[in-house]
Amino acid sequence: MQITSALPIAKMVGSNRVVLGTGIVHVTGDAKLPANDEKELRRKLVRQALDALQSSEKR
Amino acid sequence: MRIAHYLNQFFGGIGAEEHAGVGLEFRDGAVGPGKLLEQLLGDGAEVVLTIVCGDNFAVEHQADVTAAALAKVRDTIADLFVAGPCFDAGRYGMAAGALCSAVQAQLGIPAVTAMSEENPGVDLYRETLHIIDSGTSTLKMRDVLARVASLGKKLAAKQTIGLPHEEGYLPRGLLRDQLGKQTAATRLVNMLLAKVRGEEFASEMSPTAFAPVPMPAAVKDMTKAKVMLITDGGLVPRGNPDRIEGTAATRWGAYNIEGRDDLRSEDYEVSHGGYDTRFVQDDPDRLVPLDALREMERSGIIGKLHDEFLSTCGRSNPLSNTRRLGREMAEKIKRDGVDAVILTST
């Protein structure tokens, strides 16, 4: 599966499992957030990624 | 003109799928489609050698088959090498492509083959070879061979080869300089006017087409799965030990993360010339989410986080190159027994 903020590219090349990241410059983070919130955001993204891997649905 | 011709077991007259395991055979003279090819080439053209091999054998023993065929073609002193037409037969296309590209590169003999656009041989060899677009119907054999003959003659005579749609071969993805009569601005406006008037026009850019990627099966039990992290965002250890280029990367690296709970800024750098890398430089977990996955490994949500992450730089890279990088990574992933991959892309 792919975590990316460049969704059109993921679609173009035919990625089957995609989770939208939080920006090209920090796909699994967000420099604007306090450290704890940023980490919580990253956990959420990774959980979504694991969900996608366990699903047979294209997303 | 002397031609060497490659056919699979079916067109070579041995038999259908049940004979796909037959080994390499050499025959003097033309066989099957080769006879029609001789006619279409005219001018005393002669197929002096026909090489026949079963589709399974050719793919399973590609290196040996190629070496033996090369030696025989070298002795034959051919002016042109033709393979197929292969239509949509995948193994046939892969064998034809491998042979044509070897003959061309190692013997300097021009080669031409024919396949349908979807044939996996096209993806592998379109940049190296002239592949006539055969479509999928073998009923078109005569038309296809006529185009093979016409292009083959030009290649053998070292004449200038026209554009894909003029000669009937599949676009190779190569750029060629050409003097235009009008500036780009004029051509663009003309195209726009034609579009507005509902007239036909041809774009000078062809969008790259990507074959659909089959969806891999879902992970059944994540608590037992080995998960690997990969990024195309260019994260590398300080000093960039594999010298991964920040643009059009030709390499990828595997970097050990055993026992690490967090990726620290001082241990890594970013080799990528396509985005503002300061945020990742400050905290590499923003690109390779090791900290979150390590927690999930500890709490048993995933079975294991693989001891290495893979990295390359995905910027401005020709597809032929990125496909190779992808294939190499996939081989490692299989070898290491990884069940699931999270790829982070900038």
Side-chain angles (χ1 to χ4, degrees):
Chain A
M1 72 77 49
Q2 189 179 18
I3 308 180
T4 180
S5 295
L7 197 57
I9 296 177
K11 282 192 168 168
M12 180 180 73
V13 301
S15 294
N16 289 301
R17 295 179 170 96
V18 181
V19 166
L20 188 62
T22 32
I24 305 267
V25 294
H26 40 47
V27 186
T28 56
D30 187 344
K32 290 195 298 292
L33 295 177
N36 281 342
D37 294 355
E38 186 180 12
K39 188 135 183 195
E40 192 47 45
L41 168 85
R42 183 149 56 244
R43 289 187 190 108
K44 198 180 115 206
L45 282 169
V46 168
R47 273 195 298 268
Q48 284 175 356
L50 296 175
D51 285 348
L53 286 165
Q54 294 169 88
S55 158
S56 301
E57 257 172 68
K58 211 175 154 96
R59 54 176 81 190
Chain B
M1 182 159 61
R2 294 164 63 83
I3 299 116
H5 189 198
Y6 177 75
L7 294 170
N8 73 349
Q9 86 284 351
F10 179 73
F11 289 100
I14 297 173
E17 193 56 39
E18 68 272 19
H19 296 284
V22 300
L24 189 64
E25 290 177 20
F26 300 112
R27 306 207 196 140
D28 296 330
V31 174
K35 294 182 178 160
L36 187 53
L37 179 67
E38 270 181 347
Q39 264 180 41
L40 292 163
L41 281 164
D43 294 333
E46 196 189 342
V47 175
V48 288
L49 168 70
T50 301
I51 304 166
V52 183
C53 190
D55 281 335
N56 287 346
F57 192 91
V59 170
E60 287 160 10
H61 305 90
Q62 195 182 87
D64 296 341
V65 167
T66 304
L70 273 182
K72 187 75 180 172
V73 173
R74 183 185 288 122
D75 293 346
T76 309
I77 316 173
D79 307 300
L80 177 68
F81 186 82
V82 175
C86 310
F87 303 98
D88 55 354
R91 289 160 298 168
Y92 192 11
M94 287 192 281
L99 286 174
C100 284
S101 105
V103 164
Q104 214 173 240
Q106 295 181 41
L107 305 182
I109 299 170
V112 57
T113 179
M115 306 178 200
S116 74
E117 173 99 58
E118 305 76 28
N119 194 310
V122 172
D123 203 33
L124 287 168
Y125 297 104
R126 72 187 318 155
E127 284 176 33
T128 336
L129 297 175
H130 288 95
I131 305 175
I132 293 287
D133 183 1
S134 68
T136 55
S137 167
T138 52
L139 295 174
K140 296 267 162 59
M141 180 65 90
R142 190 182 182 90
D143 296 347
V144 174
L145 277 175
R147 271 174 280 147
V148 168
S150 145
L151 183 60
K153 268 189 203 169
K154 286 189 182 177
L155 285 169
K158 298 194 166 55
Q159 290 174 14
T160 311
I161 305 301
L163 295 169
H165 69 271
E166 294 163 359
E167 307 279 1
Y169 62 90
L170 292 162
R172 301 175 65 194
L174 307 179
L175 291 174
R176 194 158 77 185
D177 287 334
Q178 191 179 314
L179 271 179
K181 290 193 180 67
Q182 297 169 320
T183 64
T186 310
R187 301 200 302 277
L188 182 64
V189 170
N190 287 344
M191 226 182 277
L192 183 61
L193 289 174
K195 185 170 184 175
V196 169
R197 288 195 292 257
E199 294 166 7
E200 270 194 37
F201 66 95
S203 169
E204 292 174 21
M205 295 286 290
S206 49
T208 312
F210 294 90
V213 182
M215 186 155 171
V219 175
K220 285 205 182 66
D221 186 354
M222 196 53 89
T223 65
K224 294 203 172 67
K226 192 201 266 191
V227 180
M228 181 193 259
L229 281 166
I230 305 184
T231 187
D232 59 35
L235 189 74
V236 292
R238 263 238 180 233
N240 192 3
D242 294 308
R243 290 173 295 120
I244 293 174
E245 304 90 330
T247 190
T250 57
R251 291 183 281 274
W252 54 276
Y255 302 114
N256 197 284
I257 44 173
E258 213 176 332
R260 290 190 194 208
D261 295 337
D262 184 30
L263 297 178
R264 292 180 311 173
S265 178
E266 57 267 35
D267 297 332
Y268 293 92
E269 64 183 65
V270 187
S271 177
H272 196 302
Y275 70 98
D276 183 349
T277 58
R278 285 174 297 175
F279 302 102
V280 173
Q281 184 63 70
D282 285 347
D283 180 1
D285 293 272
R286 287 172 173 158
L287 178 63
V288 177
L290 171 87
D291 54 355
L293 268 161
R294 189 65 82 201
E295 287 177 4
M296 292 179 196
E297 182 186 45
R298 287 230 168 85
S299 58
I301 296 172
I302 63 168
K304 176 165 175 49
L305 176 61
H306 190 60
D307 286 338
E308 292 165 314
F309 77 90
L310 309 189
S311 179
T312 189
C313 165
R315 182 191 184 212
S316 305
N317 216 332
L319 280 171
S320 53
N321 198 28
T322 53
R323 284 187 173 120
R324 173 181 60 80
L325 297 177
R327 273 197 298 274
E328 290 171 1
M329 286 184 186
E331 279 163 24
K332 178 174 173 63
I333 292 163
K334 277 192 179 168
R335 211 166 46 234
D336 291 355
V338 170
D339 301 297
V341 169
I342 297 176
L343 165 68
T344 58
S345 295
T346 51

